[in-house]
């Protein structure tokens, strides 16, 4: 089925056809690629254990706009927490996206991590590659996955949305999709 999208772009009426099945396959492909990206990043950190984030949260972040918040995690129990949660979080985000389970929640936390990576990597490098970086594109892709409900296309979220538990607790729909 083809849907005709009508909108305004720069004050002009614009219309273009979108074939829904192609769009659905694109969402699945995007979800799988980004899921593999994060799953791989998390597993790499586990395989090279122990992971140490102190260079990032203590060193790289110290002179950035996020420094006052991030440097709180640069030593003690908060650094230990960060050293476990970064690889665990990346692995769970990747798994969630690959299987399409709790996709919006996974995409939210992926965007959360990418926000830190974007500002800290950009500011410490003096935005050497410009302000449009891979970290920013990753952030936008996570936002798109969450917004478009990519988990409901060939994902576990499609089944979760139909359960009586989710129907009885409608706020859970914000986490799936």
């Amino acid at each position: 089925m083809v849907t005709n999208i009508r909108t305004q772009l720069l004050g002009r009426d614009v219309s273009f056809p979108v074939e829904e099945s192609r769009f659905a396959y694109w969402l699945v492909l995007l979800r799988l690629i980004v899921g593999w990206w994060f799953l791989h990043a998390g597993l790499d950190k586990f395989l090279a254990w122990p992971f140490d984030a102190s260079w990032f949260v203590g060193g790289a972040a110290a002179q950035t706009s996020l420094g006052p918040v991030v440097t709180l995690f640069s030593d003690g129990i908060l650094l230990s927490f960060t050293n476990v949660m970064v690889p665990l979080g990346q692995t769970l985000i990747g798994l969630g996206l690959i299987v399409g389970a709790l996709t919006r929640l996974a995409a939210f936390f992926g965007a959360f991590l990418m926000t830190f990576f974007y500002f800290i990597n950009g500011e410490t490098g003096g935005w050497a590659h410009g302000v449009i970086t891979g970290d920013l594109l990753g952030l936008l892709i996570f936002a798109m996955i969450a917004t478009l409900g990519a988990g409901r296309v060939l994902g576990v979220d499609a089944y979760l949305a139909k359960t009586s538990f989710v129907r009885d607790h409608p706020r859970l729909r914000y986490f799936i999709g």
Side-chain angles (χ1 to χ4, degrees):
M1 183 173 160
V2 176
T3 302
N4 201 25
I5 305 293
R6 295 170 193 245
T7 188
Q8 281 201 339
L9 182 64
L10 302 174
R12 299 182 69 203
D13 290 330
V14 178
S15 176
F16 57 94
V18 173
E19 186 176 335
E20 291 176 11
S21 63
R22 287 185 186 167
F23 181 67
Y25 287 124
W26 171 248
L27 282 177
V28 171
L29 180 66
L30 194 64
R31 197 184 78 218
L32 291 174
I33 290 171
V34 175
W36 174 250
W37 175 32
F38 260 61
L39 178 65
H40 185 266
L43 291 178
D44 274 354
K45 288 173 182 65
F46 277 125
L47 292 174
W49 197 259
F51 172 69
D52 183 17
S54 63
W55 67 272
F56 189 76
V57 296
Q63 302 304 318
T64 66
S65 58
L66 297 177
V69 174
V70 177
T71 54
L72 294 173
F73 294 85
S74 64
D75 60 2
I77 192 141
L78 291 177
L79 178 60
S80 298
F81 174 78
T82 303
N83 288 339
V84 172
M85 289 310 295
V86 168
L88 182 62
Q90 287 179 325
T91 302
L92 291 175
I93 289 166
L95 284 173
L97 292 180
I98 288 172
V99 300
L102 301 175
T103 308
R104 283 195 174 128
L105 185 64
F108 168 79
F109 282 110
F112 180 77
L113 282 176
M114 293 309 294
T115 300
F116 284 100
F117 298 157
Y118 174 69
F119 283 104
I120 293 170
N121 289 335
E123 289 181 28
T124 57
W127 303 104
H129 300 287
V131 295
I132 308 299
T133 64
D135 296 328
L136 178 62
L137 295 178
L139 172 63
L140 294 175
I141 290 171
F142 276 119
M144 184 170 63
I145 288 170
T147 303
L148 297 175
R152 294 181 188 207
V153 182
L154 297 176
V156 174
D157 285 346
Y159 300 106
L160 291 176
K162 295 176 185 175
T163 63
S164 60
F165 186 75
V166 172
R167 277 186 297 218
D168 293 343
H169 302 90
R171 290 186 180 174
L172 291 177
R173 285 183 274 169
Y174 295 115
F175 297 111
I176 63 174

